[in-house]
Amino acid sequence: MVSFDTIRSAADAQVDVGIRIYALAARLFPICRSITGGGVRETLRVLGQHIDITQHEVPTGTQVLDWTVPQEWNIRDAYIKNASGRKIVDFADHNLHVLGYSKAVHETMPLSELKSHVYTLPEQPDLIPYRTSYYSEQWGFCMAHNELAQLEDGEYEVFIDADKTDGHLTYGEYFHSGQSDRDVLLSAHICHPSLANDNCSGLALLACLAAALRSRKTRYNYRFLFAPGTIGALTWLASNEDNISRIDHGLIVSCVGDGGGPNYKRSRRGNAVIDQAMQYVLSSEGRRGIIQDFSPYGYDERQYCSPGFNLPVGLFQRSAFGTFPQYHTSADNLDFISPENLASSYGMIMEVIDILEMNWTPVNLFPKGEPQLGRRGLYSALGGDKAAGETAMGYLWVLNLADGSHSLLDIAQRSGMSFRDIARAAQLLRANGLLAEAVS
Amino acid sequence: MVSFDTIRSAADAQVDVGIRIYALAARLFPICRSITGGGVRETLRVLGQHIDITQHEVPTGTQVLDWTVPQEWNIRDAYIKNASGRKIVDFADHNLHVLGYSKAVHETMPLSELKSHVYTLPEQPDLIPYRTSYYSEQWGFCMAHNELAQLEDGEYEVFIDADKTDGHLTYGEYFHSGQSDRDVLLSAHICHPSLANDNCSGLALLACLAAALRSRKTRYNYRFLFAPGTIGALTWLASNEDNISRIDHGLIVSCVGDGGGPNYKRSRRGNAVIDQAMQYVLSSEGRRGIIQDFSPYGYDERQYCSPGFNLPVGLFQRSAFGTFPQYHTSADNLDFISPENLASSYGMIMEVIDILEMNWTPVNLFPKGEPQLGRRGLYSALGGDKAAGETAMGYLWVLNLADGSHSLLDIAQRSGMSFRDIARAAQLLRANGLLAEAVS
Amino acid sequence: MVSFDTIRSAADAQVDVGIRIYALAARLFPICRSITGGGVRETLRVLGQHIDITQHEVPTGTQVLDWTVPQEWNIRDAYIKNASGRKIVDFADHNLHVLGYSKAVHETMPLSELKSHVYTLPEQPDLIPYRTSYYSEQWGFCMAHNELAQLEDGEYEVFIDADKTDGHLTYGEYFHSGQSDRDVLLSAHICHPSLANDNCSGLALLACLAAALRSRKTRYNYRFLFAPGTIGALTWLASNEDNISRIDHGLIVSCVGDGGGPNYKRSRRGNAVIDQAMQYVLSSEGRRGIIQDFSPYGYDERQYCSPGFNLPVGLFQRSAFGTFPQYHTSADNLDFISPENLASSYGMIMEVIDILEMNWTPVNLFPKGEPQLGRRGLYSALGGDKAAGETAMGYLWVLNLADGSHSLLDIAQRSGMSFRDIARAAQLLRANGLLAEAVS
């Protein structure tokens, strides 16, 4: 148990943390990431300037659970030129322009044929969509529907200088060591190219949070994972089967820079401590967070909460993926996220960590009747005062429910009191020899 | 397991099934049934023209659980004549005119004495009530209150040519053999005389449903029971104690020809699969079915759900017994039921049977992480498409909840998806080697 | 099992019981009680004129659980005189004037110093507050704020003739012996001085209730406890650890003379039979009683429901403590309580006792199918009557749920029928050999 006093409120550190997260997200934004390749490595290099990331390289062809690590994809250049030789689409302008994992191509073809390789959003005609084709051999471009509509008939030169070669799948880990042998998993997907909210925001937030934890003695180990979606999570799970039982709590972090939500999707278990803690934080301080039950579509909670693992891992977001118009388009840019929103997301996650750190299950050592709080200086000397009982309510609730089956978070929820007040009461009762921690 | 494709929607067969059920109910309507006697046999003979019914004859005096099979009652004629010798009540006009199980009588008596043997409905003065006295030695007539009121003082001749003799209690069974050794029980009471909804409708519907099942390979055995209420069900239970544990699901069918409801009364268990399935069907396709908890008054669910059996047997009705003004009166006639209502009742029961047939409990054979659906052709090749995830939701829900503790019906309810979509997804996953059936 | 017929409705005895309770409360009101001392003994002496109370004397210094029995406090006189020698506060006028457990004092001091020893209620300036200081060595007076405000500067003589000496803690018990070895605990705190509702009302009500039980054969033993709050309950618990497992139900009774509520605070278990029974009584007959979950602040339910005992003990009140303006002030006087309110509180507690006495868990001896009620004279002979089923519903509900896991109170709640009707049906079924009592 870490002492109560060493756990400072996250609020102090939050003043300019939003600016730092935003600046880091802005540095990550231009990098062309995919599920493998140089973009992931460059992203880890930038993150590594803040925290000591361990970079893992898993060879193409490695079997990971039901999947196989694919070939590595790297892209150098891509464009479409019209008959006049003018680049009407240029990868250098925006990395969303190229279908992710496109194979190389260099051909000239009429507009009609070109169109079968071009993805647009007719209902959002000024935006470039984000499209990938990881496991099917294709090539393609993405562009604004209005620009496609203006193209005149004629021959177009398409050029994609990319290759898929045997190489590696890359992911990064940062490990903050705590006093126990129990882990908290914090994970953000690293595979999306220039999409600011999804998920430069999550990568930058976790990196800054990891940096902040360095100065803190914690009870839990904190395992930060920066890995490509799906195949990265599967690779990590396949490589860490022996450690998985140590994960007591986990959180997927994505889309944490916009002003929506906050949203929390429960773990498959539905009533894990992380679910309780997130629900507590998202309903305290006037927040009207949205809590949704687990569903098997989303980010890597899909993998962590598959029935064979069923880990207590939930998903924290501001706007929920797929529900905001900027989602998976070029409008998910640096204007869509803000330091203020990043700071408040950071604050909520830090509050959850505070709860995980301070939560424990007390056992009343004087369970028969109330122990005499007065002679221990824990109770107002003056009886009959209407307010006197109120001030002692924290002690009374903790003592009454300290039967080894209620955590402090349970007691806070049952009593309607704040977790902080309950935790403080429990600490003082313990210091006075009235409580012990339950053997789990 | 029957294959998904062989189970056709009941909708195709439903076009004229309502007409057929109505025609059969109309043939059954005039027959004077009671809990024993020739009327039951004649009813089974008519039903037997549609399906091969096994007729059981249980002798008077046989002990069945706490009851004894009563003497058999048969009636040939009955009337009341006024002083002028005119028949003012005639059994030949309507078999409700005679109190069920009346003993024989032939007397002349003043109106005042006659009245103590006449049952009417003062609040529905034009209708003849339905009354019986199975276990108490009485005689009586039923008539419209208005007609009774018009009778002048004077002597009346009452004549009932009926007898109670040692004979048999009669009931019929039809057995549709399935591929497993597990049973579904479908039961309708056969003891009511000329009451169309209660229960010519249920008898006719079950007979047509049994006929329709003949051409269908099913997983379950379907055991159709046409038996008198209470004593018939008790007799069947007493005779089948060894088979009762094979009943996985059961439904009592009555009052299925009017336009009310639909109503479903849960089994005593409250959460049996039949309860789930009925609730699903009665809340799908815009139906606003009424679901009620079990109560110990009603039809033969009273016996099947007695605490010593506690079978998963519910009650399906349109208007609930006792709640419609025609109930147990001469207004429950062939005008009160319609082919359309019979067809829709039939359709709902067939939907429930479809669910029972298609429902199974899957176990994910690749429970760690998601299996790679793409290389099995089960997943859109193109990532990033907002709609792509939606189409795959059936696979994801089934895989995620396929831990051996969720049936497909559970998964449909948890996911909010249709049972049909979930069942189709499960079938495809199983065909691809990703699922097995849980060992129960 | 006590027979149903011997348990008369409490209503008959209720006509003038309110007057008797009020008269007794009025006799108790002037006595200066505290947690020890002559006032408690005098109170027990008055109660002892109604019932044979066993008086227990526990020596100062006795260890009771985590507490120690304190010195005994007795007070003879107390006043404040102004410079003219006029008594401006006199203990003889009202025993609330002295801080409970004040040490002796006889000094002269200026007004400014006096004020640090005087307690008032600025927001209720005409009322004298009730204050105590049991475990901290102080002296003090309580008075109306308006009177304090009118005091002129000058010297005041303060005099308290009280002593704390080694002596005893006193409590009383009355035991009503029933036919079983299971107990019901009924407890009222005896430690408050001249406060009519809190708790002369509870003491007087329980004494009259105990007197009424004398003429009644009961299944349970009834253990009445008149003990000082907290230390008295702890002392009793410490002295009765071996008997505690015999307590099946318990009720703390306080503040039962005003017109508020009724209020019931559930035991810590939340679903004990006493909780069920109280909820039933407080929601029947048009009462809109308030049911609150357990919380660890209040009266001696704090001790009985501490996690090491966790007894099924709830709290019955009219207005809830701390919520009414008269609470712990001189306005909680004999005008605040009334015979009518005392009578209705008495009636509700007696109804709960009736339920506890009549409640049992039946087992159907004919659990397969319904037993034939008709041949046992328990069922209308005439079938088909729409109302016939209703009258038999009590039998059917009891028989159907008589599987050894439902008490009669459970059955009443599940069926929506009255407890009395269910209990009567169960008694008749049992008399007919259809039910037995479950072995607990």
Side-chain angles (χ1 to χ4, degrees):
Chain A
M1 260 299 294
V2 65
S3 108
F4 181 88
D5 293 325
T6 64
I7 300 187
R8 294 162 42 247
S9 159
D12 301 347
Q14 209 174 325
V15 179
D16 51 10
V17 71
I19 294 168
R20 280 185 283 118
I21 300 170
Y22 186 89
L24 178 53
R27 282 194 62 195
L28 301 177
F29 182 73
I31 303 169
C32 180
R33 280 165 295 271
S34 185
I35 54 172
T36 62
V40 176
R41 291 191 192 92
E42 173 63 8
T43 300
L44 291 176
R45 193 188 63 76
V46 174
L47 295 175
Q49 293 168 358
H50 293 70
I51 46 175
D52 287 333
I53 286 183
T54 304
Q55 184 166 326
H56 299 266
E57 297 281 350
V58 182
T60 295
T62 304
Q63 184 75 15
V64 288
L65 302 170
D66 186 54
W67 300 58
T68 308
V69 170
Q71 286 195 308
E72 182 174 330
W73 182 67
N74 284 289
I75 182 167
R76 287 163 291 276
D77 193 9
Y79 56 78
I80 304 174
K81 279 187 183 166
N82 65 12
S84 330
R86 191 172 62 81
K87 288 184 179 173
I88 54 123
V89 166
D90 192 347
F91 173 70
D93 293 340
H94 205 305
N95 57 38
L96 290 183
H97 273 315
V98 177
L99 178 73
Y101 256 65
S102 267
K103 65 180 175 184
V105 67
H106 196 176
E107 290 182 35
T108 301
M109 60 185 62
L111 179 60
S112 59
E113 186 180 342
L114 172 63
K115 280 185 170 175
S116 71
H117 291 275
V118 173
Y119 301 94
T120 68
L121 293 168
E123 298 189 357
Q124 296 173 294
D126 294 322
L127 303 182
I128 311 168
Y130 166 53
R131 291 285 182 280
T132 64
S133 178
Y134 300 134
Y135 297 99
S136 165
E137 190 79 351
Q138 298 187 36
W139 65 265
F141 287 89
C142 300
M143 62 189 292
H145 192 72
N146 282 344
E147 298 197 359
L148 177 65
Q150 288 165 14
L151 295 188
E152 296 174 0
D153 278 345
E155 293 291 305
Y156 287 85
E157 177 192 352
V158 295
F159 177 67
I160 298 178
D161 178 15
D163 52 47
K164 287 187 241 183
T165 55
D166 285 354
H168 296 83
L169 175 138
T170 309
Y171 68 87
E173 277 192 288
Y174 173 76
F175 186 78
H176 170 86
S177 183
Q179 293 166 341
S180 74
D181 60 351
R182 308 302 302 166
D183 291 1
V184 176
L185 175 69
L186 295 164
S187 175
H189 61 278
I190 201 171
C191 52
H192 283 33
S194 295
L195 297 167
N197 202 34
D198 179 19
N199 196 20
C200 297
S201 70
L203 295 166
L205 185 152
L206 284 194
C208 290
L209 195 145
L213 280 188
R214 277 181 308 207
S215 61
R216 192 159 149 176
K217 281 193 197 304
T218 60
R219 177 167 60 155
Y220 284 106
N221 303 316
Y222 288 80
R223 194 174 288 277
F224 291 79
L225 180 57
F226 307 95
T230 306
I231 188 67
L234 292 163
T235 301
W236 185 85
L237 283 163
S239 312
N240 288 275
E241 287 212 43
D242 291 347
N243 299 323
I244 282 168
S245 63
R246 292 166 48 179
I247 298 175
D248 279 355
H249 320 285
L251 208 56
I252 309 295
V253 176
S254 75
C255 301
V256 288
D258 74 295
N263 270 281
Y264 176 69
K265 186 171 94 173
R266 289 191 180 97
S267 76
R268 184 178 182 275
R269 297 185 186 184
N271 62 350
V273 175
I274 186 72
D275 302 323
Q276 265 190 292
M278 259 292 171
Q279 181 150 2
Y280 178 85
V281 168
L282 263 60
S283 61
S284 61
E285 303 192 19
R287 293 175 197 125
R288 302 194 176 190
I290 300 155
I291 307 291
Q292 292 189 289
D293 278 335
F294 180 78
S295 69
Y297 188 64
Y299 293 106
D300 286 333
E301 70 277 9
R302 292 164 63 162
Q303 312 309 328
Y304 298 114
C305 297
S306 57
F309 294 118
N310 199 25
L311 292 173
V313 173
L315 168 64
F316 177 69
Q317 304 184 280
R318 300 303 295 266
S319 289
F321 72 87
T323 64
F324 51 94
Q326 297 86 350
Y327 178 70
H328 279 193
T329 76
S330 52
D332 182 358
N333 58 32
L334 291 170
D335 293 335
F336 183 52
I337 65 174
S338 77
E340 292 73 21
N341 296 329
L342 290 162
S344 75
S345 297
Y346 177 94
M348 288 183 266
I349 296 174
M350 204 55 117
E351 281 183 47
V352 167
I353 289 176
D354 284 351
I355 289 176
L356 299 180
E357 286 291 320
M358 289 195 284
N359 193 36
W360 53 287
T361 297
V363 174
N364 185 337
L365 299 175
F366 293 81
K368 294 189 173 182
E370 291 171 5
Q372 192 176 11
L373 298 177
R375 71 172 146 90
R376 295 175 174 93
L378 297 172
Y379 211 76
S380 164
L382 191 68
D385 184 338
K386 291 180 192 180
E390 291 302 313
T391 60
M393 285 308 284
Y395 297 130
L396 296 182
W397 274 112
V398 171
L399 287 168
N400 190 269
L401 295 178
D403 55 10
S405 70
H406 299 89
S407 71
L408 297 187
L409 187 52
D410 292 331
I411 296 172
Q413 292 185 307
R414 172 71 180 82
S415 67
M417 297 184 66
S418 78
F419 177 80
R420 195 160 286 272
D421 287 346
I422 290 294
R424 186 171 288 124
Q427 190 197 25
L428 289 168
L429 291 169
R430 190 177 190 170
N432 277 274
L434 295 172
L435 294 180
E437 185 164 5
V439 178
S440 61
Chain B
M1 260 298 295
V2 66
S3 109
F4 180 88
D5 293 325
T6 63
I7 301 188
R8 294 162 43 246
S9 158
D12 301 347
Q14 209 173 325
V15 179
D16 50 10
V17 71
I19 294 168
R20 281 186 282 120
I21 299 170
Y22 186 89
L24 178 52
R27 284 194 61 195
L28 300 177
F29 182 73
I31 304 169
C32 180
R33 281 166 294 271
S34 185
I35 54 172
T36 61
V40 176
R41 292 191 192 93
E42 172 65 8
T43 300
L44 291 176
R45 192 188 64 77
V46 174
L47 294 176
Q49 292 168 358
H50 293 71
I51 47 174
D52 288 333
I53 286 184
T54 304
Q55 187 166 323
H56 298 266
E57 297 282 347
V58 181
T60 296
T62 305
Q63 183 76 14
V64 289
L65 302 170
D66 186 54
W67 300 58
T68 307
V69 171
Q71 286 195 309
E72 181 174 329
W73 182 66
N74 284 288
I75 181 167
R76 287 162 292 276
D77 193 11
Y79 57 76
I80 305 174
K81 279 187 184 165
N82 64 12
S84 331
R86 190 172 63 81
K87 288 185 180 173
I88 54 122
V89 165
D90 191 346
F91 173 69
D93 292 338
H94 206 307
N95 57 39
L96 290 183
H97 273 315
V98 177
L99 177 73
Y101 257 65
S102 268
K103 63 180 175 183
V105 67
H106 196 175
E107 291 181 33
T108 300
M109 59 185 62
L111 179 60
S112 59
E113 183 179 343
L114 172 63
K115 278 185 171 174
S116 70
H117 291 274
V118 173
Y119 302 94
T120 67
L121 293 167
E123 298 188 357
Q124 296 173 295
D126 294 322
L127 305 182
I128 312 167
Y130 166 53
R131 290 287 183 278
T132 64
S133 178
Y134 300 135
Y135 297 99
S136 165
E137 189 80 350
Q138 300 188 34
W139 64 265
F141 286 89
C142 300
M143 62 188 291
H145 193 72
N146 282 344
E147 299 197 358
L148 176 66
Q150 288 166 12
L151 295 188
E152 296 175 0
D153 279 343
E155 294 292 304
Y156 287 85
E157 175 191 354
V158 295
F159 177 66
I160 298 178
D161 178 14
D163 52 48
K164 286 186 243 185
T165 55
D166 284 355
H168 294 84
L169 176 138
T170 309
Y171 67 88
E173 276 193 290
Y174 172 76
F175 186 76
H176 169 86
S177 182
Q179 295 165 341
S180 73
D181 61 351
R182 308 301 302 165
D183 292 1
V184 176
L185 175 69
L186 295 165
S187 175
H189 60 277
I190 201 170
C191 51
H192 283 32
S194 295
L195 297 168
N197 202 34
D198 180 19
N199 193 21
C200 298
S201 71
L203 294 166
L205 185 152
L206 283 193
C208 292
L209 195 145
L213 279 189
R214 278 180 309 207
S215 61
R216 194 160 148 176
K217 282 192 197 306
T218 60
R219 178 167 59 154
Y220 284 107
N221 304 315
Y222 287 80
R223 193 174 288 279
F224 291 80
L225 180 57
F226 306 94
T230 306
I231 187 67
L234 292 163
T235 301
W236 186 85
L237 284 162
S239 312
N240 288 274
E241 287 213 43
D242 291 346
N243 299 323
I244 281 168
S245 64
R246 290 164 50 177
I247 298 174
D248 279 355
H249 320 285
L251 207 55
I252 309 294
V253 176
S254 76
C255 302
V256 287
D258 74 295
N263 270 281
Y264 177 69
K265 186 172 95 173
R266 289 191 180 96
S267 76
R268 184 178 183 273
R269 297 186 187 184
N271 62 350
V273 174
I274 187 71
D275 301 323
Q276 266 190 292
M278 259 292 171
Q279 180 151 4
Y280 178 85
V281 167
L282 262 58
S283 61
S284 62
E285 302 191 19
R287 294 177 196 123
R288 301 192 177 192
I290 300 156
I291 308 290
Q292 292 190 288
D293 278 336
F294 179 78
S295 69
Y297 189 64
Y299 293 105
D300 285 333
E301 69 278 9
R302 292 164 63 162
Q303 312 308 328
Y304 298 114
C305 297
S306 57
F309 294 118
N310 199 23
L311 292 173
V313 173
L315 167 64
F316 177 68
Q317 304 183 280
R318 299 302 296 266
S319 289
F321 71 87
T323 66
F324 49 94
Q326 298 85 351
Y327 179 71
H328 278 192
T329 75
S330 52
D332 183 359
N333 57 33
L334 291 170
D335 293 335
F336 183 51
I337 66 173
S338 77
E340 293 71 23
N341 295 330
L342 290 162
S344 76
S345 296
Y346 177 94
M348 288 184 268
I349 296 175
M350 203 56 116
E351 281 183 50
V352 167
I353 289 176
D354 284 353
I355 289 175
L356 298 180
E357 285 291 320
M358 289 195 285
N359 193 36
W360 53 286
T361 297
V363 174
N364 185 338
L365 299 175
F366 294 81
K368 294 189 172 181
E370 292 172 4
Q372 192 175 11
L373 298 177
R375 71 173 147 90
R376 296 175 173 92
L378 296 172
Y379 211 77
S380 165
L382 191 68
D385 183 340
K386 289 180 193 179
E390 290 302 314
T391 60
M393 285 308 284
Y395 298 130
L396 297 181
W397 274 113
V398 172
L399 287 168
N400 190 268
L401 295 179
D403 55 10
S405 71
H406 299 88
S407 72
L408 297 186
L409 187 53
D410 292 331
I411 297 172
Q413 292 186 306
R414 171 71 179 83
S415 67
M417 297 184 65
S418 77
F419 177 80
R420 195 160 286 272
D421 287 347
I422 289 295
R424 187 171 287 125
Q427 189 197 27
L428 289 168
L429 290 169
R430 189 176 190 172
N432 278 273
L434 296 172
L435 294 181
E437 186 165 5
V439 178
S440 60
Chain C
M1 259 300 294
V2 66
S3 110
F4 181 89
D5 292 325
T6 64
I7 301 187
R8 294 164 41 248
S9 159
D12 300 347
Q14 209 174 323
V15 179
D16 51 10
V17 71
I19 294 168
R20 280 185 282 120
I21 300 171
Y22 185 89
L24 178 53
R27 284 194 62 195
L28 301 177
F29 182 74
I31 303 169
C32 181
R33 280 166 294 270
S34 186
I35 54 172
T36 61
V40 175
R41 292 190 193 96
E42 171 65 7
T43 300
L44 291 177
R45 192 188 64 77
V46 173
L47 295 175
Q49 293 168 357
H50 292 70
I51 46 175
D52 287 333
I53 286 183
T54 304
Q55 185 166 326
H56 298 266
E57 298 281 350
V58 181
T60 296
T62 304
Q63 183 76 16
V64 288
L65 301 170
D66 186 53
W67 299 59
T68 307
V69 171
Q71 286 193 310
E72 182 175 328
W73 183 66
N74 284 288
I75 181 167
R76 287 162 292 275
D77 192 11
Y79 56 76
I80 305 175
K81 281 187 184 165
N82 64 11
S84 331
R86 189 170 64 83
K87 287 185 181 175
I88 54 126
V89 166
D90 191 346
F91 173 70
D93 293 337
H94 206 305
N95 57 38
L96 290 183
H97 273 315
V98 176
L99 178 73
Y101 257 64
S102 267
K103 64 180 176 185
V105 66
H106 195 176
E107 289 183 33
T108 300
M109 60 185 62
L111 179 61
S112 58
E113 186 181 341
L114 172 63
K115 279 185 171 175
S116 70
H117 291 274
V118 172
Y119 302 94
T120 67
L121 294 169
E123 300 189 357
Q124 295 173 294
D126 293 324
L127 304 182
I128 310 166
Y130 165 53
R131 291 286 183 278
T132 64
S133 178
Y134 300 133
Y135 298 98
S136 165
E137 189 80 351
Q138 299 186 37
W139 63 267
F141 286 90
C142 300
M143 63 189 292
H145 192 72
N146 281 343
E147 299 198 358
L148 177 65
Q150 287 165 13
L151 296 188
E152 295 176 1
D153 279 345
E155 292 293 304
Y156 288 85
E157 176 191 354
V158 294
F159 175 67
I160 299 178
D161 177 12
D163 51 49
K164 288 185 243 184
T165 55
D166 284 354
H168 295 83
L169 176 138
T170 309
Y171 67 88
E173 276 192 291
Y174 172 76
F175 185 77
H176 170 86
S177 183
Q179 295 166 340
S180 75
D181 61 350
R182 309 301 302 166
D183 291 1
V184 176
L185 175 69
L186 295 165
S187 175
H189 60 277
I190 201 170
C191 51
H192 284 32
S194 295
L195 297 168
N197 203 33
D198 179 19
N199 195 22
C200 298
S201 71
L203 294 167
L205 186 152
L206 283 193
C208 290
L209 196 145
L213 279 188
R214 277 181 308 207
S215 60
R216 193 160 149 176
K217 282 192 196 307
T218 61
R219 178 166 61 154
Y220 285 106
N221 304 315
Y222 288 80
R223 193 174 288 278
F224 291 79
L225 181 58
F226 307 95
T230 306
I231 187 65
L234 292 163
T235 300
W236 185 85
L237 284 163
S239 312
N240 288 275
E241 287 214 45
D242 291 346
N243 299 324
I244 281 169
S245 64
R246 291 166 49 179
I247 298 175
D248 279 354
H249 320 285
L251 207 55
I252 309 295
V253 176
S254 75
C255 301
V256 287
D258 73 296
N263 271 281
Y264 177 70
K265 186 171 95 172
R266 290 192 180 95
S267 77
R268 184 179 183 272
R269 299 185 185 184
N271 62 350
V273 174
I274 186 70
D275 301 322
Q276 266 190 291
M278 259 294 172
Q279 180 149 3
Y280 178 85
V281 167
L282 263 58
S283 61
S284 62
E285 302 193 19
R287 294 177 195 124
R288 301 194 176 192
I290 301 156
I291 307 291
Q292 291 190 291
D293 279 335
F294 180 78
S295 69
Y297 188 64
Y299 292 106
D300 286 332
E301 70 277 10
R302 292 163 64 162
Q303 311 309 327
Y304 298 115
C305 298
S306 57
F309 294 117
N310 198 25
L311 292 174
V313 174
L315 168 64
F316 176 69
Q317 307 180 100
R318 300 301 296 266
S319 288
F321 71 88
T323 65
F324 50 95
Q326 297 85 350
Y327 178 70
H328 278 193
T329 75
S330 52
D332 182 359
N333 58 32
L334 290 170
D335 293 334
F336 183 52
I337 66 174
S338 77
E340 292 72 22
N341 297 329
L342 289 163
S344 74
S345 296
Y346 177 93
M348 289 183 267
I349 296 174
M350 204 54 116
E351 282 183 48
V352 167
I353 289 175
D354 283 351
I355 290 176
L356 298 180
E357 286 291 320
M358 289 196 285
N359 194 35
W360 54 286
T361 297
V363 174
N364 185 337
L365 298 176
F366 294 80
K368 294 190 173 182
E370 291 171 5
Q372 192 176 10
L373 299 178
R375 72 172 147 89
R376 295 175 175 92
L378 297 172
Y379 210 76
S380 165
L382 190 70
D385 184 338
K386 290 180 193 181
E390 291 302 315
T391 60
M393 286 308 284
Y395 298 129
L396 296 181
W397 273 114
V398 171
L399 287 168
N400 191 268
L401 295 179
D403 56 10
S405 70
H406 300 88
S407 71
L408 297 187
L409 187 53
D410 292 331
I411 296 172
Q413 292 185 307
R414 171 72 180 81
S415 67
M417 297 183 67
S418 77
F419 177 80
R420 194 161 286 271
D421 287 347
I422 290 294
R424 187 172 287 125
Q427 189 198 26
L428 289 169
L429 291 169
R430 191 176 191 174
N432 277 274
L434 296 172
L435 294 182
E437 185 164 5
V439 179
S440 62

